[in-house]
Amino acid sequence: MLTVQQAVFTVESLIGKVQQQKQLIHQLIQENEHLRHENKQLRKENEQLKYRVQELEARTKKNSSNSHLPPSSDRFEKKRSSREPSGKKPGGQ
């Protein structure tokens, strides 16, 4: 059997533990709110970056053959000669 002193000690320790748990719950709620806010910001930034990537990809796909741009503006594609090699050595007149 518990004595009165042991019972009081047990109740006091339970009250202390409840208060600790309450503080921990409050901290976790604040951390959760902070993470939700950060997540929202990162999602917004991610959408902006996705849009920017789409714009840049569309810009790199344009060249003089599929837009109004002059041939001098073709930057990203290597020019391939339409000529086929003859098999002869270059140079030497």
Side-chain angles (χ1 to χ4, degrees):
M1 280 187 121
L2 290 176
T3 64
V4 174
Q5 186 178 14
Q6 289 173 331
V8 170
F9 177 73
T10 304
V11 170
E12 288 173 354
S13 65
L14 288 175
I15 291 172
K17 288 199 182 276
V18 167
Q19 289 175 346
Q20 287 175 346
Q21 294 296 320
K22 187 177 179 180
Q23 289 175 349
L24 179 61
I25 289 170
H26 181 68
Q27 289 173 350
L28 291 173
I29 288 172
Q30 287 180 333
E31 184 179 352
N32 190 356
E33 288 174 1
H34 173 72
L35 291 173
R36 284 177 186 265
H37 179 69
E38 184 179 15
N39 189 0
K40 186 177 180 180
Q41 287 178 327
L42 291 173
R43 285 178 185 270
K44 184 177 180 180
E45 182 180 351
N46 189 25
E47 287 300 316
Q48 291 171 345
L49 291 173
K50 282 181 183 179
Y51 179 73
R52 181 70 174 142
V53 166
Q54 286 176 348
E55 285 180 337
L56 292 174
E57 285 177 346
R59 193 181 302 174
T60 60
K61 291 178 184 175
K62 289 184 180 178
N63 59 32
S64 61
S65 64
N66 63 7
S67 71
H68 68 281
L69 299 172
S72 62
S73 68
D74 291 347
R75 304 175 250 179
F76 300 109
E77 286 187 26
K78 290 184 178 180
K79 300 285 184 191
R80 292 188 181 147
S81 175
S82 61
R83 294 178 55 192
E84 294 182 19
S86 65
K88 295 181 180 180
K89 291 183 180 180
Q93 297 261 329

